[in-house]
Amino acid sequence: DTAVSQTPKYLVTQMGNDKSIKCEQNLGHDTMYWYKQDSKKFLKIMFSYNNKELIINETVPNRFSPKSPDKAHLNLHINSLELGDSAVYFCASSHPTSGGADTQYFGPGTRLTVL
Amino acid sequence: AQRVTQPEKLLSVFKGAPVELKCNYSYSGSPELFWYVQYSRQRLQLLLRHISRESIKGFTADLNKGETSFHLKKPFAQEEDSAMYYCALYNFGNEKLTFGTGTRLTIIP
């Protein structure tokens, strides 16, 4: 299956814990992203990497640290989890499209619940 | 700064009726606009983009620069169109895709 995959699909954890979400794409794309979708379904970019290099770093608390071991993977590590971190996190990847902006392909999302 | 506004959070339409999901944007450059859709229990996926000028699943969207709008339309709604729809704008300058807040479309049988 060629796609963007994320693990885990669901993550329930206590406040203060450290957790990671993994993302892998086998589409051969150079650029990968993390988005956060809050309880009101608002979808916002957090980070993007191009060929393992950080391109976009939105105003996200530094408890969030993306790591890209290679261009097919972009993991998200979150330290000292807080209640407000509860959300659905989407990974995406893209490739350049001739004549326009990149089309982004999304993973299935990871629903993080912080208790 | 770029901004995308979807004024309707929820929209219910009867099957067979026309559908219009509104999207307005603010952007100082030449925009590239998209509609993404998220069906129940599925991932977010691209529906259409304005430069393609194509119709996907019966949906079309025309970029109106004068009104800064990119409304999504379909002449006859089908039950399988029920989903969450996001309008998005790509900024070539900062390489960011900015999403609107989404509209949940429900087609009433």
Side-chain angles (χ1 to χ4, degrees):
Chain A
D1 251 359
T2 50
V4 181
S5 58
Q6 293 178 229
T7 52
K9 197 169 177 182
Y10 300 96
L11 183 53
V12 181
T13 187
Q14 300 281 346
M15 254 187 351
N17 284 350
D18 303 338
K19 289 291 177 188
S20 292
I21 307 172
K22 295 185 176 179
C23 178
E24 177 181 3
Q25 55 93 6
N26 59 7
L27 298 165
H29 294 169
D30 285 338
T31 309
M32 295 184 73
Y33 311 80
W34 277 107
Y35 287 86
K36 180 180 179 181
Q37 186 182 47
D38 62 22
S39 57
K40 295 181 181 176
K41 301 291 188 184
F42 184 51
L43 195 62
K44 193 166 187 245
I45 182 92
M46 298 173 70
F47 302 101
S48 80
Y49 269 72
N50 184 282
N51 236 336
K52 304 195 303 174
E53 199 176 313
L54 182 66
I55 303 296
I56 294 172
N57 185 350
E58 282 295 274
T59 46
V60 189
N62 57 15
R63 298 182 294 104
F64 289 78
S65 52
K67 287 193 171 48
S68 182
D70 54 61
K71 73 174 195 178
H73 295 85
L74 181 62
N75 303 324
L76 184 65
H77 189 76
I78 315 170
N79 287 329
S80 304
L81 278 155
E82 299 178 358
L83 293 176
D85 298 332
S86 296
V88 180
Y89 292 85
F90 287 98
C91 178
S93 71
S94 71
H95 70 286
T97 308
S98 60
D102 302 354
T103 296
Q104 295 192 17
Y105 295 81
F106 284 79
T110 295
R111 183 176 292 280
L112 170 65
T113 303
V114 182
L115 303 173
Chain B
Q2 70 235 48
R3 180 182 278 184
V4 178
T5 304
Q6 292 179 250
E8 303 138 329
K9 197 170 175 179
L10 303 168
L11 182 64
S12 295
V13 172
F14 283 101
K15 180 181 169 182
V19 176
E20 183 179 48
L21 289 91
K22 291 185 169 46
C23 173
N24 288 88
Y25 66 89
S26 62
Y27 180 57
S28 55
S30 187
E32 179 150 1
L33 286 141
F34 301 80
W35 277 98
Y36 278 81
V37 62
Q38 189 174 23
Y39 300 103
S40 178
R41 296 179 188 169
Q42 292 188 31
R43 63 189 68 200
L44 195 65
Q45 57 187 287
L46 179 68
L47 180 62
L48 55 79
R49 51 196 297 167
H50 93 266
I51 61 165
S52 301
R53 302 189 65 80
E54 57 193 346
S55 172
I56 306 290
K57 299 186 179 184
F59 284 97
T60 57
D62 290 318
L63 178 61
N64 185 324
K65 290 188 179 179
E67 295 182 0
T68 59
S69 68
F70 188 57
H71 303 326
L72 183 68
K73 298 178 185 178
K74 183 169 181 175
F76 307 104
Q78 296 170 284
E79 286 184 63
E80 55 265 33
D81 296 330
S82 293
M84 192 77 181
Y85 291 81
Y86 290 93
C87 182
L89 181 150
Y90 187 78
N91 181 333
F92 286 92
N94 60 18
E95 299 179 345
K96 281 186 204 171
L97 188 64
T98 298
F99 286 87
T101 47
T103 298
R104 182 172 294 283
L105 175 65
T106 301
I107 306 303
I108 305 164

